């Protein structure tokens, strides 16, 4: 697949056909994704390909309360779970989630963790949420999605499981000092979005300073 097209069209896919995704194909995808960059080339990612239906059911059960809270928070006009001004909603009700409801039957489920002994947490001492160490594992996750797209698959990266890391650690035998980073679900898409909604360059890019003038750019180029 042409690189720029792939970058513009790899949207989140949450509904899959029944077509199986073999371990061989997953291995091929991971064999490409492993070329992702990481701090100091430490490659801290670990991947569990979860086939066991009971484990999948438990993963979905662990994530459901976080989804319910996400929906309630969004309904109250918040950016859910943001570390700046988030206030947990007082009323949370069960919300359906197709991905979680069908996780047991999903074509492929990957849980991706990071070995914290191998990441450089450059912003750990700052008086704010540390963010930088994730940059050593999320490019890998994105490369999984891009490589999957190349093979005709689609998928979605989710982070809800991180909120249940203690339970997930026991469930998945996650080694000590590893962080649950993402769950990536893959399969053949039922439909694939053609145009993704993204902000134009001038809305998030300025010259010299973040207070500077917007960068002149071909902002409204059409997606392929
Ligand atoms: C860090 C991160 C966390 C995400 N978490 C979830 C999630 O928990 N559940 C989900 O359905 N999608 C999740 N997504 C997918 C986003 O919702 C999706 O990338 C975004 O809405 C853009 O959607 P689009 O590609 O369809 O335009 C996540 C994506 C990222 C990068």
């Amino acid at each position: 697949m042409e690189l720029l097209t792939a970058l513009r069209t790899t949207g989140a896919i949450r509904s899959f056909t029944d077509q199986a995704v073999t371990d061989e194909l997953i291995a091929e995808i991971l064999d490409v994704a492993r070329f992702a960059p990481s701090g100091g080339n430490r490659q801290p990612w670990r991947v569990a390909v979860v086939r066991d239906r009971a484990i999948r059911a438990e993963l979905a059960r662990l994530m459901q309360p976080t989804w319910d809270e996400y929906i309630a928070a969004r309904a109250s006009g918040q950016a859910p779970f943001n570390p700046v001004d988030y206030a947990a909603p007082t009323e949370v009700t069960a919300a359906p989630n197709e991905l979680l409801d069908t996780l047991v039957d999903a074509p492929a489920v990957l849980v991706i963790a990071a070995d914290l002994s191998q990441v450089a947490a450059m912003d750990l001492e700052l008086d704010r949420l540390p963010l930088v160490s994730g940059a050593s594992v999320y490019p890998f996750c994105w490369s999984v999605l891009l490589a999957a797209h190349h093979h005709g698959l689609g998928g979605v990266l989710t982070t809800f499981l991180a909120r249940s890391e203690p339970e997930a650690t026991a469930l998945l035998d996650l080694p000590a000092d590893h962080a649950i980073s993402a769950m990536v679900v893959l399969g053949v898409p039922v439909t694939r979005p053609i145009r993704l909604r993204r902000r134009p360059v001038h809305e998030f890019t300025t010259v010299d300073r973040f207070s500077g003038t917007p960068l002149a750019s071909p902002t409204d180029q059409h997606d392929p």
Side-chain angles (χ1 to χ4, degrees):
M1 183 171 200
E2 204 263 320
L3 176 62
L4 295 185
T5 302
L7 289 169
R8 281 175 173 272
T9 60
T10 304
I13 305 285
R14 302 180 181 85
S15 300
F16 309 101
T17 69
D18 291 339
Q19 200 172 317
V21 175
T22 63
D23 284 350
E24 289 71 24
L25 182 51
I26 293 173
E28 262 186 68
I29 289 166
L30 296 175
D31 189 47
V32 172
R34 72 193 171 92
F35 289 95
S38 59
N41 198 20
R42 291 283 179 168
Q43 306 167 47
W45 44 80
R46 291 281 305 270
V47 181
V49 180
V50 181
R51 293 285 188 202
D52 186 290
R53 293 173 67 85
I55 296 178
R56 286 182 176 197
E58 187 60 9
L59 290 174
R61 194 190 66 76
L62 289 174
M63 285 184 277
Q64 186 65 46
T66 298
W67 172 250
D68 297 340
E69 184 176 332
Y70 176 90
I71 290 297
R74 219 175 49 175
S76 69
Q78 297 199 68
F81 306 115
N82 86 75
V84 177
D85 58 7
Y86 178 63
T90 48
E91 207 168 305
V92 174
T93 52
N97 179 308
E98 189 187 351
L99 191 73
L100 299 184
D101 295 344
T102 59
L103 195 67
V104 162
D105 295 314
V109 175
L110 314 184
V111 176
I112 299 173
D115 179 351
L116 296 180
S117 72
Q118 300 300 315
V119 301
M122 298 300 188
D123 53 354
L124 192 61
E125 312 298 332
L126 299 181
D127 187 21
R128 62 150 172 80
L129 176 86
L131 186 66
V132 169
S133 27
S136 279
V137 66
Y138 291 114
F140 171 80
C141 298
W142 177 229
S143 291
V144 168
L145 289 167
L146 287 170
H149 191 173
H150 174 80
H151 286 284
L153 304 183
V156 63
L157 182 160
T158 74
T159 52
F160 283 7
L161 189 61
R163 282 192 98 221
S164 304
E165 188 172 280
E167 296 92 335
T169 295
L171 183 67
L172 300 168
D173 287 338
L174 186 69
D177 298 319
H178 282 56
I180 297 278
S181 307
M183 185 183 77
V184 173
V185 184
L186 299 174
V188 174
V190 173
T191 55
R192 193 186 286 282
I194 300 172
R195 295 192 63 169
L196 306 181
R197 285 187 303 120
R198 299 293 188 266
R199 291 190 293 147
V201 172
H202 69 263
E203 275 189 28
F204 59 85
T205 313
T206 47
V207 177
D208 288 334
R209 294 187 172 83
F210 291 102
S211 56
T213 53
L215 184 77
S217 56
T219 46
D220 287 316
Q221 263 184 17
H222 286 292
D223 297 328

